[in-house]
Amino acid sequence: ALEPIDGLQVTAWRHREFMFHDMPLGLIVEQLNRYRTGPILILDSQLRLRRLSGSLALDDPDRSLKMLQQVLPFRVMHVTSLLALITT
């Protein structure tokens, strides 16, 4: 379905910032993965469903992940230099 364009979100995207409102963590991480060399995987299905609102810089997805940790209690395990796992 087509939706109207949100000018504020377009401006944020142009400045490499991702704005989200009441969005599940799983979808937020999907967006971060688009700007990261290797994947970030969420292992806990309940954590994947937790909803958040805010904005994150897309130029450093790992730093943005640390910012999300300040809001939600989760751990990030870097299995390799590319693969990151999120657990509770």
Side-chain angles (χ1 to χ4, degrees):
L2 295 176
E3 296 180 14
I5 295 175
D6 181 341
L8 190 58
Q9 285 186 327
V10 171
T11 301
W13 177 76
R14 285 184 178 161
H15 290 99
R16 299 195 50 87
E17 187 175 324
F18 174 54
M19 294 180 63
F20 48 95
H21 176 72
D22 195 34
M23 183 177 283
L25 180 62
L27 292 179
I28 296 167
V29 168
E30 280 182 28
Q31 289 300 312
L32 292 178
N33 276 333
R34 295 176 66 196
Y35 296 88
R36 192 171 185 277
T37 304
I40 302 166
L41 303 175
I42 304 173
L43 301 181
D44 182 312
S45 60
Q46 292 298 318
L47 184 59
R48 195 176 297 119
L49 298 174
R50 294 284 305 267
R51 301 181 88 74
L52 297 165
S53 296
S55 65
L56 295 169
L58 294 171
D59 59 345
D60 187 349
D62 289 319
R63 187 183 78 216
S64 293
L65 205 52
K66 287 179 185 177
M67 291 179 69
L68 288 170
Q69 281 182 286
Q70 294 175 7
V71 179
L72 286 177
F74 63 82
R75 293 182 311 186
V76 178
M77 271 188 344
H78 292 275
V79 179
T80 69
S81 60
L82 299 177
L83 176 62
L85 302 177
I86 295 177
T87 62
T88 51

